[in-house]
Amino acid sequence: MTDTTSPKAATRPSLLYRIWDHELCYSFRKSHLTVGAAVVTLILILAAVFANIIAPHNPFDTASIDLMDSELPPAWTVDGDQRFLLGTDNLGRDIYSTILYGMRISLLVGFASVILSAVIGIAAGLIAGYVGGKVDAVIMRIADIQLSFPTILIALLIDGISRGILDRELHDAMIIPVLVLSIGISNWVQYARTVRGSTLVERNKEYVQAARVIGLHPILIMIRHVLPNVMGPVLVIATLGLAFAILTEATLSFLGVGMPPTQPSLGTLIRIGNDYLFSGLWWISIFPGATLAILVLAVNLLGDWLRDALNPKLR
Amino acid sequence: MSNHLLEVRNLRIEFPTRKGILTAIDDVSFHIDEGEVLGVVGESGAGKSLTGAAIIGLLEPPGRVAGGEILLEGRRIDNLPYEEMRRIRGRQIGAIFQDPLTSLNPLYTVGRQLTETIMTHTDMTPTKARERAIEMLTQVGIPAPERRVDQYPHQFSGGMRQRVVIALALCVNPRLVVADEPTTALDVSIQAQIIALLKKLCREHGTAVMLVTHDMGVIAETADRVAVMYAGRIAEIGPVKQVVKQAKHPYTEGLMGSIPMIGHTDEKLRQIEGSMPRLTNIPTGCAFNPRCPKAFDRCFRERPDTIPVDGTEVACWLFDKETANV
Amino acid sequence: MAAFILRRLAQSILVMLVVSLVAFYMFQFLGDPINQMVGIDTPLAEREALRERLGLNDPMIIRFGKFVLNAAQLDFGLSYQHKQPVVDLLMERMPATIELSFVSAIIAFFLALPAGVYTGLYRNRWSSKALLTLSLVGISIPTFLIGILFIYLFAVILGWLPSFGRGEVITLPGGWTTGLLTVSGLKAIILPATTLGLFTLTLIMRLIRAEMLEVLRTDYIKFARARGLTNRAVNFGHALKNTLVPVITVTGLLLGNLIAFAIITESVFQWPGMGRLFLQAIQEVDLPVMSAYLVMISFLFVVINLIVDILYYVVDPRLRVEKSGGGH
């Protein structure tokens, strides 16, 4: 045999080396596409977080915006202005800066709604799996029904209802929580299904019974034991879910039921640009569109890789 | 050239991994004659099934035949192009898998699965193929075959499904059948029936069998010769009577000791201490040395090849002349 | 068979009831229909009388019953915004949406099938990996952006295809309008249908690939190979057919999704379908239109699911044949 070193004789490698040598890390290193996606994601997230430092202009500062600067093409074209790298929109806002700030909103809504979905889904899955019986049946039936409706429809509906409850100004002020709520609620089902499956397996194990004997609430114990088991699948769902949430937010904003033009996300920018596309002002929608596509693609690539890497059958 | 039906010479199967190449089968040689039943025994992971898969040319990547050769009637088959090997599979070498519940496609009737196999390898008309299918079902002892032929696999019990699988393996009269643990997944009460059926049919058709199993009892009753495998190598191979009655290799002795025998009630069932090494961690010298009660210094230094002793062949230094003289 | 279909039917009715309940409650909490029907200066007494006449003071359960009964007769009241019966508005726009969804479903399925099978069978070829990465790009670019790009390229720059509307429409007997029988209608549907179908195409393709990989690992495929069947028979006769069983279910679901996702495409291409009506209704809080759309679309889903179930039944004999003989 080629392998002659006894594992016991060798000194224990450092933690850093063990992480580096881990199966998951190895498959990550080996896939250049995934490494690229991770780098791009990281750069975009950092750019969004530090938008106020990086951006040359503040698109929300009405004092600094000059209508005279409106509809300028990108800097490298004939009519371009050096101050505005990617051109300006119809109000004279710098596209580059607006993209950075818009991405901030897109990512904020994306992350927040993924967290909301995960919390609702994990809780529902734990309860359904642990309590069982009628509670389980009701939760899973709701999940089934919701699953047969496209998320975009549910998100639109929740947004529509919120418009009915809140008046217009309040709705515009509350738009970010409303979006998080609509996208979050429409995506919990997958988490619930995964967690429920794992909970059903754990429920009858001895430690759950033992916990009851020593007076601990079994649910607490289950959370401690079930969650580590479902971390992998939940992480995969969350990563792909982030891409999907960003897309949904952009879609809602594009349809005019998301972020308002005064506080534009990437979707809103594309919507604004769409009206000017026929006049040849392509840069207003194309640059935010490309940013959105690259961001979502990078996150999707990461999620896709993670799913394959955590699936032992595909090794 | 040899006149054996199947001959395996110095077969070596490797699995490339990122930490280097794993050798799963190392220098395995044996042969099977016309109409003979060769039993192959060993613990799981010893390489029995891999050897079987290599013979029918269906090793799963990344596994690959890295050395040695496999000959069917003197013709080398391990390096044939896929299409040529396909014509041999089913036609000349049949296969029976472990789990009859999953071996049949649930969406097709058993008749359709039989006729498609028959028509792939012969130029029978659909009507003729159907007649042949019904005849095969009769032969494997399925009652009311004219009706059963149009039923789906889920309408058959486990034992009945394994009979269908046997019918599928034998329907074009192959010269050799590789049966990989054909009864492991079945009820104990049905196991004996299936083995008896397989033995009877193969005797009638003159089909040779490579019977892979971990059940020494099945081997003792069915096989003409037996090969004992351990950690990817052959430990002992020879006529079944000799191997069972006078096991030479300490590992075979251990295996025999673990079979309950009628009439030996007061004798304790012995068990081999420890477990088979993993492929990544095979010791130098004889792979069995950590578990061998009779191991001595040479066993830790050199790897033994098979040595002919009284009609059997044993890979053990105990039987080497040099060692014996010392 | 009958029992199976009946059980599914019962489930469908349950779904419809739940959806109706949601639609009904929207009215309860959101709007006062009286405010929509009368002027601001209408005296309180008159409002009360109208309220009583419309049955708005009845107990909740009776009103829900009435709502369901009316919905079953396609009576969803008047649109707040258009002041027309909602059902007329929807029916007028339904053919446009159905035609759009149907054409994109066909595009999606018949491109996804070969692509999915190919990438499943030859998973290690670079062309498969390229196709797979490309499909990920397809999932990552939002539908509306693809629509915009298509319009910019094929309508604005090249000028080959129209950028909005349905083209020339022919009214068939029975009131169904179709754009599939005129040249301009066909030209008009190409861009929106492709846009709408692309997302579904990538999903179905990836699903078929995943199922194909799963099936190719099964024992019966290995056994089929061990029997010496040709690659063609193994891959297309055995593997593909088993792959299609789960694919049919999801494809049905996705077909339903297409009708809903048409909202986006219709908005980009100004396609005169139900989706745009719904979108306007949301922006204007036009409750009757919102709830009617919801009920209609869930009805369409239920019908699609029922067809899928029947298909499933036809393909999988394990559901079809009752157990007989062969017991232990």
Side-chain angles (χ1 to χ4, degrees):
Chain A
M1 287 287 111
T2 44
D3 194 346
T4 49
T5 52
S6 158
K8 273 170 198 160
T11 49
R12 205 169 156 76
S14 73
L15 178 70
L16 219 60
Y17 177 77
R18 272 184 292 141
I19 292 174
W20 176 253
D21 196 48
H22 189 267
E23 204 57 59
L24 207 62
C25 190
Y26 174 76
S27 92
F28 178 74
R29 278 185 286 138
K30 230 182 65 180
S31 165
H32 301 299
L33 201 61
T34 313
V35 175
V39 171
V40 169
T41 311
L42 206 65
I43 290 175
L44 288 179
I45 289 178
L46 288 176
V49 170
F50 298 108
N52 48 345
I53 300 170
I54 301 169
H57 304 267
N58 182 354
F60 303 120
D61 178 11
T62 39
S64 74
I65 296 168
D66 190 346
L67 213 56
M68 292 298 287
D69 292 332
S70 69
E71 301 181 8
L72 287 172
W76 61 85
T77 56
V78 185
D79 300 322
D81 186 319
Q82 290 311 313
R83 287 175 298 155
F84 307 109
L85 181 64
L86 302 180
T88 58
D89 70 358
N90 57 323
L91 298 173
R93 290 187 294 207
D94 177 37
I95 295 282
Y96 174 55
S97 308
T98 323
I99 285 177
L100 289 178
Y101 280 93
M103 200 160 62
R104 204 185 229 187
I105 296 172
S106 297
L107 279 166
L108 175 71
V109 173
F111 275 112
S113 46
V114 163
I115 291 169
L116 182 64
S117 305
V119 169
I120 298 175
I122 291 172
L126 271 174
I127 293 168
Y130 182 71
V131 181
K134 276 193 184 131
V135 176
D136 181 29
V138 168
I139 292 179
M140 291 332 278
R141 183 45 37 97
I142 293 173
D144 280 347
I145 292 177
Q146 182 169 333
L147 206 62
S148 67
F149 282 83
T151 47
I152 187 81
L153 196 63
I154 294 163
L156 274 172
L157 205 67
I158 295 172
D159 185 81
I161 292 172
S162 75
R163 272 167 204 274
I165 296 170
L166 310 166
D167 63 49
R168 195 166 282 266
E169 270 165 48
L170 196 58
H171 183 267
D172 276 359
M174 298 267 291
I175 186 69
I176 289 182
V178 166
L179 281 175
V180 169
L181 201 70
S182 356
I183 301 170
I185 290 179
S186 50
N187 285 308
W188 61 276
V189 175
Q190 271 187 300
Y191 300 92
R193 289 194 155 183
T194 309
V195 173
R196 174 178 173 268
S198 182
T199 310
L200 284 178
V201 175
E202 296 290 310
R203 180 171 65 174
N204 296 320
K205 292 203 175 152
E206 275 170 20
Y207 71 85
V208 181
Q209 314 297 330
R212 207 177 278 135
V213 174
I214 59 171
L216 272 174
H217 198 285
I219 282 269
L220 285 176
I221 300 293
M222 302 238 4
I223 290 173
R224 281 244 301 279
H225 284 84
V226 171
L227 284 191
N229 279 338
V230 293
M231 267 315 278
V234 164
L235 206 62
V236 173
I237 299 172
T239 313
L240 294 172
L242 176 65
F244 194 70
I246 294 172
L247 272 188
T248 311
E249 183 278 327
T251 304
L252 290 175
S253 295
F254 175 80
L255 293 177
V257 292
M259 299 304 297
T262 47
Q263 216 184 337
S265 72
L266 293 176
T268 321
L269 285 176
I270 299 169
R271 174 187 177 79
I272 296 169
N274 191 30
D275 294 338
Y276 293 87
L277 203 58
F278 285 97
S279 352
L281 309 185
W282 53 273
W283 57 90
I284 306 181
S285 50
I286 296 301
F287 290 125
T291 313
L292 178 66
I294 290 169
L295 175 64
V296 175
L297 179 63
V299 177
N300 263 335
L301 280 170
L302 282 180
D304 214 43
W305 160 78
L306 198 61
R307 180 178 49 198
D308 288 353
L310 291 177
N311 184 352
K313 279 192 243 162
L314 288 179
R315 288 241 178 91
Chain B
M1 288 313 285
S2 68
N3 45 10
H4 300 303
L5 174 64
L6 180 89
E7 186 161 11
V8 175
R9 288 185 193 152
N10 311 103
L11 182 69
R12 182 182 166 89
I13 296 174
E14 291 179 347
F15 284 84
T17 69
R18 69 170 171 118
K19 301 235 161 123
I21 289 167
L22 285 183
T23 309
I25 298 288
D26 196 5
D27 201 16
V28 162
S29 302
F30 62 90
H31 65 85
I32 301 176
D33 286 326
E34 297 269 339
E36 185 187 43
V37 178
L38 174 76
V40 179
V41 280
E43 289 164 67
S44 46
K48 308 165 301 213
S49 301
L50 272 181
T51 312
I55 290 170
I56 57 174
L58 287 178
L59 264 184
E60 293 203 16
R64 58 173 190 227
V65 174
E69 46 191 25
I70 301 169
L71 298 108
L72 183 74
E73 299 182 304
R75 176 186 176 210
R76 199 165 163 196
I77 58 168
D78 59 288
N79 56 357
L80 288 182
Y82 186 88
E83 180 57 24
E84 271 183 64
M85 191 58 209
R86 179 191 70 71
R87 288 174 205 278
I88 291 176
R89 272 200 294 274
R91 184 77 193 89
Q92 297 189 53
I93 308 179
I96 297 169
F97 288 167
Q98 186 167 359
D99 192 350
L101 298 183
T102 54
S103 289
L104 299 170
N105 189 335
L107 300 189
Y108 290 123
T109 63
V110 300
R112 146 111 213 223
Q113 300 188 48
L114 275 161
T115 49
E116 74 175 344
T117 313
I118 295 166
M119 286 164 67
T120 302
H121 294 294
T122 65
D123 35 15
M124 277 191 211
T125 60
T127 331
K128 273 265 189 301
R130 190 182 152 87
E131 280 168 23
R132 171 84 183 144
I134 294 173
E135 186 200 325
M136 277 318 292
L137 290 180
T138 318
Q139 282 193 26
V140 295
I142 286 174
E146 293 85 0
R147 185 170 58 85
R148 297 293 246 162
V149 74
D150 291 322
Q151 291 187 343
Y152 290 93
H154 72 270
Q155 294 166 288
F156 290 74
S157 68
M160 283 294 157
R161 272 192 238 187
Q162 195 64 314
R163 285 172 192 262
V164 173
V165 170
I166 291 174
L168 276 164
L170 295 178
C171 63
V172 283
N173 281 325
R175 314 293 311 278
L176 171 72
V177 170
V178 177
D180 188 354
E181 310 249 9
T183 57
T184 311
L186 297 175
D187 270 12
V188 183
S189 55
I190 298 167
Q191 286 183 1
Q193 287 176 24
I194 295 292
I195 288 291
L197 174 74
L198 186 63
K199 196 176 167 182
K200 172 177 155 267
L201 285 177
C202 290
R203 190 147 297 166
E204 283 171 12
H205 294 262
T207 312
V209 183
M210 175 174 161
L211 181 63
V212 174
T213 175
H214 57 257
D215 188 341
M216 217 44 198
V218 167
I219 296 279
E221 275 175 41
T222 319
D224 300 312
R225 285 190 309 126
V226 57
V228 180
M229 288 191 73
Y230 187 80
R233 294 173 62 84
I234 288 190
E236 183 166 358
I237 181 168
V240 73
K241 285 200 184 92
Q242 252 134 318
V243 175
V244 171
K245 294 267 165 57
Q246 308 157 283
K248 295 192 177 60
H249 197 288
Y251 178 62
T252 321
E253 263 185 279
L255 277 183
M256 294 306 143
S258 61
I259 310 173
M261 299 266 190
I262 299 166
H264 296 250
T265 42
D266 43 72
E267 209 175 321
K268 239 177 82 179
L269 275 183
R270 274 169 300 151
Q271 195 187 342
I272 311 172
E273 293 292 322
S275 58
M276 203 170 66
R278 289 164 58 152
L279 285 177
T280 46
N281 201 21
I282 291 183
T284 34
C286 174
F288 189 56
N289 70 38
R291 301 167 75 186
C292 184
K294 298 174 182 168
F296 56 102
D297 55 349
R298 194 174 182 187
C299 303
F300 295 92
R301 283 196 327 264
E302 289 173 66
R303 202 175 63 178
D305 283 322
T306 48
I307 306 158
V309 187
D310 309 340
T312 66
E313 288 184 62
V314 190
C316 179
W317 291 129
L318 286 172
F319 301 92
D320 187 59
K321 287 203 184 82
E322 254 178 76
T323 320
N325 292 341
V326 172
Chain C
M1 174 94 184
F4 174 79
I5 298 294
L6 268 178
R7 203 168 57 237
R8 290 301 183 160
L9 212 60
Q11 279 175 6
S12 310
I13 290 171
L14 185 75
V15 172
M16 290 297 297
L17 275 176
V18 171
V19 173
S20 309
L21 200 65
V22 171
F24 173 70
Y25 265 89
M26 278 190 339
F27 280 113
Q28 286 310 302
F29 290 115
L30 299 186
D32 186 348
I34 302 295
N35 285 343
Q36 303 288 342
M37 297 170 93
V38 298
I40 303 167
D41 49 350
T42 314
L44 208 64
E46 204 171 307
R47 286 172 180 242
E48 242 348 279
L50 192 59
R51 188 174 288 274
E52 190 62 45
R53 195 149 48 84
L54 289 174
L56 293 179
N57 291 338
D58 293 343
M60 202 70 102
I61 183 81
I62 291 178
R63 291 177 53 200
F64 180 57
K66 276 186 186 162
F67 177 85
V68 171
L69 227 63
N70 286 340
Q73 295 164 20
L74 296 177
D75 179 5
F76 296 96
L78 291 178
S79 156
Y80 296 166
Q81 195 192 354
H82 300 267
K83 312 291 178 207
Q84 280 178 44
V86 173
V87 66
D88 293 351
L89 290 169
L90 277 176
M91 283 306 170
E92 195 185 312
R93 288 163 175 79
M94 184 141 56
T97 300
I98 301 274
E99 262 179 19
L100 177 63
S101 311
F102 187 68
V103 172
S104 23
I106 287 175
I107 293 175
F109 191 75
F110 285 98
L111 288 180
L113 191 66
V117 170
Y118 181 83
T119 48
L121 285 179
Y122 309 108
R123 56 184 287 217
N124 289 323
R125 288 194 189 167
W126 74 266
S127 50
S128 293
K129 289 176 179 166
L131 213 57
L132 212 61
T133 309
L134 198 69
S135 78
L136 209 59
V137 175
I139 289 177
S140 304
I141 302 179
T143 311
F144 62 88
L145 195 58
I146 291 174
I148 291 174
L149 291 176
F150 276 178
I151 289 178
Y152 192 62
L153 186 64
F154 293 105
V156 178
I157 294 183
L158 297 171
W160 291 351
L161 297 165
S163 66
F164 66 90
R166 265 184 103 186
E168 203 182 320
V169 173
I170 293 175
T171 308
L172 299 177
W176 184 277
T177 56
T178 179
L180 298 180
L181 296 175
T182 63
V183 177
S184 74
L186 283 173
K187 271 175 110 174
I189 207 168
I190 294 176
L191 288 186
T194 313
T195 306
L196 179 56
L198 224 48
F199 184 71
T200 311
L201 185 151
T202 50
L203 283 185
I204 299 181
M205 175 198 142
R206 292 169 76 83
L207 176 76
I208 291 179
R209 171 182 174 269
E211 287 298 335
M212 199 81 183
L213 288 179
E214 197 75 32
V215 168
L216 286 174
R217 265 198 300 270
T218 59
D219 281 353
Y220 56 81
I221 292 301
K222 285 181 206 157
F223 190 52
R225 289 198 198 288
R227 284 186 277 144
L229 300 186
T230 57
N231 265 341
R232 200 189 149 88
V234 173
N235 292 340
F236 298 102
H238 286 262
L240 185 59
K241 188 164 182 191
N242 283 277
T243 301
L244 286 182
V245 175
V247 167
I248 286 173
T249 325
V250 180
T251 306
L253 270 180
L254 290 175
L255 204 74
N257 278 14
L258 277 179
I259 298 175
F261 274 109
I263 297 172
I264 304 162
T265 317
E266 286 176 10
S267 167
V268 176
F269 289 93
Q270 296 167 44
W271 191 262
M274 298 190 294
R276 270 180 84 208
L277 186 73
F278 178 62
L279 200 62
Q280 285 163 3
I282 285 184
Q283 281 156 337
E284 304 299 328
V285 200
D286 193 344
L287 292 174
V289 174
M290 277 165 76
S291 59
Y293 177 82
L294 203 63
V295 172
M296 284 286 246
I297 219 160
S298 59
F299 177 71
L300 284 175
F301 284 5
V302 162
V303 170
I304 290 170
N305 280 342
L306 214 60
I307 294 172
V308 165
D309 284 338
I310 293 170
L311 264 180
Y312 209 75
Y313 209 82
V314 172
V315 176
D316 195 338
R318 280 164 293 190
L319 297 169
R320 195 160 65 225
V321 198
E322 60 276 33
K323 292 231 175 216
S324 67
H328 285 282

